[in-house]
Amino acid sequence: MAILEILHYPDPRLRNEALPVEEVDLEIKKLVTDMFETMYDAPGIGLASIQVNVPKRVIVVDITEEHEQPLCFINPEIISKDGEEEMDEGCLSVPGFYETVQRADKIRVKALNEKGEEFEMDAEGLLSVCIQHEIDHLDGKLFVDYISPLKRNRIRKKLEKDSKKSGRKVL
Ligand code: QAP
Ligand code: CO
């Protein structure tokens, strides 16, 4: 098990598009384990592989405080969406910032689990928003893409300053 380093906006590697997982092998299982550990350690409610610089289509989510509902989605696809929901979103790659984003309220998602078995599930509310947010990461998208350029630039400048102070390399 390992805690992985989380990339921070505006690191250009967050714009990479993740490729489908061909086979849920030991390497992917280790990635899933490390992603859960990294998410719980942060702590966060969702993490996408892109955020730890692994461009493979894997996300982990757990919206419970007691770590009671760990969910892993490999090659996730949203097969239907319904309704609208506005929610304040944050992101482990955009630390310290929360902004309101509009998304579908209800979704049905199809994916492989950590054993490589196909499953479908319905989600609504926070779980639905979190899954949509994480799938966006796999396509190189961030929640700040949905807010005004003014707010986005303010966030970018602050995080660029933070990363210089911390010695993190960005760009
Ligand atoms: C995505 O985000 C999400 O700024 C998951 O300082 C979040 O786990 C979807 C976090 C909210 C829907 C609603 C953020 C931790 C965690 C921060 C997260 C921070 C520390 C974010
Ligand atoms: Co995020």
Side-chain angles (χ1 to χ4, degrees), residues 127-143:
L127 181 59
S128 159
V129 168
C130 197
I131 293 167
Q132 292 175 73
H133 172 118
E134 301 310 332
I135 292 177
D136 266 1
H137 277 299
L138 302 180
D139 296 319
K141 269 188 266 169
L142 296 165
F143 82 91

Side-chain angles (χ1 to χ4, degrees), residues 41-59:
D41 175 71
I45 57 170
L47 183 71
S49 54
I50 281 283
Q51 294 175 273
V52 294
N53 198 29
V54 179
K56 297 182 183 169
R57 302 189 79 82
V58 177
I59 67 176

